[in-house]
Amino acid sequence: MMEFFKKCPFFSKYTKESSNLIQNISKCPFASQANFSNQNQIRSMHNECPFIKQIKRNYSTLPEFKGEKEGCPFSNFIRNKIPEVSVQVVAETKNVCPFKHLAVVQGKVEEQLDIPPPTSIPKSSLSNQISSLVETQTPTQKKTPAKETYEIFFSNALDKVRNEGRYRVFRNMTRQCGQYPKTHGETIVWCSNDYLGMGQHPVVLQAIQEAVSQCGAGSGGTRNIAGTNKFHLKLEAELADLHGKESSLLFANCYSANVAAISTIVQLIPGLTLFSDAKNHASLIDGIRTSRANKEVFKHNDLKHLEELLSKYDKKAPKMIIFESVYSMDGTVGPIEGICDLAQKYNALTFIDEVHAVGLYGERGAGIAERDGVMHRLDIISGTLAKAFGVYGGYISSSNNIIDAVRSYAPGFIFTTALPPSVTAGALASVRHLKSSKIERQTHQRKAKELKKLLKENGLPVLDTSTHIVPLMIGDPILCKKMSDRLLEKFNIYVQPINYPTVPVGTERFRLTPSPVHTDEMMRSLVVALCQLWDEFGLPRNRGVAAV
Ligand SMILES: Cc1ncc(COP(=O)(O)O)c(C=O)c1O
């Protein structure tokens, strides 16, 4: 809370001098005039007062603030932060300036306002706070106020993401089968990972419908206890064949496949050191953390640095290199062959995530490793059935022994319900279709190239990638969100802002995903809309190709 006041240029002058916040509040020319039940007044004043701007940013609901009915947003804030004073404050501050009412509880408020951000709350101070609350309560009050105190952690954490402009708002983008990339009537989706439109492909839909008629809805259990059906077995065989490996293992999704596989491999190889690319996906990092293995992080795609790190270890010491083929936010491609050469030289296993490449690259859609003729050199390949294959699920493909060991030891595989038959049947149809049909892959690549060319020609800051990923750089989380909102409101175009932690702070962006079902006309309209948006927001154009 004190952090909040410190942001006000007026208050920040006083907070150091005096510990009495209430006195300082009454000196503030803004606060002494403000009538918090008058929205119009707040709106006109927030243009001038940096403090009220801050309040408005923190309270996305302020425009809907209904004065008396909902109470003042400030006192609501107090109520969340300091439960035991809320009874006195909130009840009396319905229509009046909450700053005056703080005076009612002078001292007490001052003591507790200075709540540090969630990560730095000293455990002891919090437990004192909680226990003193519990002790001072009558039996009938018990439970609720103490529970509200725990809420502080959550409201602080939420304030933090709101203040940093990266509070995530989920848009309802219900897909309409057969209409993709259109959704919600005329809105065009430009950020879906259904890269090829397989989520509505007739072959996939028919397989799903038949599986539902045949087997019903759920799988009925874990793979070990009544949950395995013929579609699991066929799909695992199909994926092993796709990647030229002996076996495959299905998971609920590739996030859990990565976590379970990495942590289990570490568990089974004593002393294994992991070498991880700096831009690896959260699921790979989670797997590495969960494993608690010794790890080294090499600079993104930097073979020289990787070798430096590998060479620190005894040649005989067990090692595994973990990396991706297509990095989904920047569109870079892992140097697979170079990594395999180093793995051979330093006696390391290789674990590659081909999530953004399966279905999309290679003769039969097995990914970049297939395209580059190096699939046989990789030890473990992970992939998803939810992006280019358009359905759901994740998997790993590898040798019989590795797959069987993960199957036998990974809690994330053993103790969870198997994928439903409809999902596995749909994914099976999709994998089979894309093994033989190349038209989707070819059109996809052509569309991505065309879009990048159009964006460049119009001076929009697109990253020059060699893949289907089209990142359009903005570099500010709040701007990114505002521009995304504007695109939807004005042009009926949906592109979700990509903010930290998905990308580093300062590299916020749109990530455009053209697909074979986006028409040329849609593409032109997108670029026209983006140009207008760039001009409206006063952003420079013609600054050449962007850099991360
Ligand atoms: C590189 C990478 N690996 C793994 C995953 C997780 O895949 P899934 O969506 O199947 O859980 C993602 C998801 O976006 C990803 O980008």
Side-chain angles (χ1 to χ4, degrees), residues 425-473:
L428 177 63
S430 187
V431 172
R432 280 184 177 162
H433 176 82
L434 289 174
K435 259 181 176 173
S436 55
S437 172
K438 298 187 189 69
I439 185 73
E440 292 85 356
R441 275 192 283 287
Q442 286 163 354
T443 319
H444 181 233
Q445 287 300 317
R446 183 168 53 78
K447 297 274 173 177
K449 271 198 192 98
E450 277 168 19
L451 180 58
K452 280 185 274 188
K453 185 166 165 275
L454 272 179
L455 293 168
K456 262 189 253 171
E457 281 169 2
N458 284 277
L460 292 161
V462 61
L463 281 189
D464 203 11
T465 67
S466 64
T467 56
H468 62 284
I469 311 279
V470 185
L472 194 59
M473 305 309 282

Side-chain angles (χ1 to χ4, degrees), residues 38-102:
N38 182 341
Q39 263 200 75
N40 289 338
Q41 191 199 21
I42 291 176
R43 285 218 185 93
S44 64
M45 291 185 88
H46 75 64
N47 291 334
E48 290 140 39
C49 173
F51 179 47
I52 203 72
K53 273 189 209 156
Q54 184 75 21
I55 293 184
K56 189 160 184 287
R57 204 191 291 160
N58 284 344
Y59 293 92
S60 50
T61 55
L62 195 61
E64 281 84 52
F65 168 49
K66 299 200 183 60
E68 197 175 337
K69 197 159 165 252
E70 287 184 14
C72 133
F74 188 82
S75 63
N76 283 341
F77 186 67
I78 302 277
R79 182 177 49 191
N80 285 337
K81 298 277 176 195
I82 316 155
E84 90 278 27
V85 298
S86 68
V87 185
Q88 297 161 68
V89 176
V90 177
E92 297 170 42
T93 55
K94 280 264 158 83
N95 282 320
V96 231
C97 170
F99 291 112
K100 285 181 196 152
H101 282 264
L102 285 177

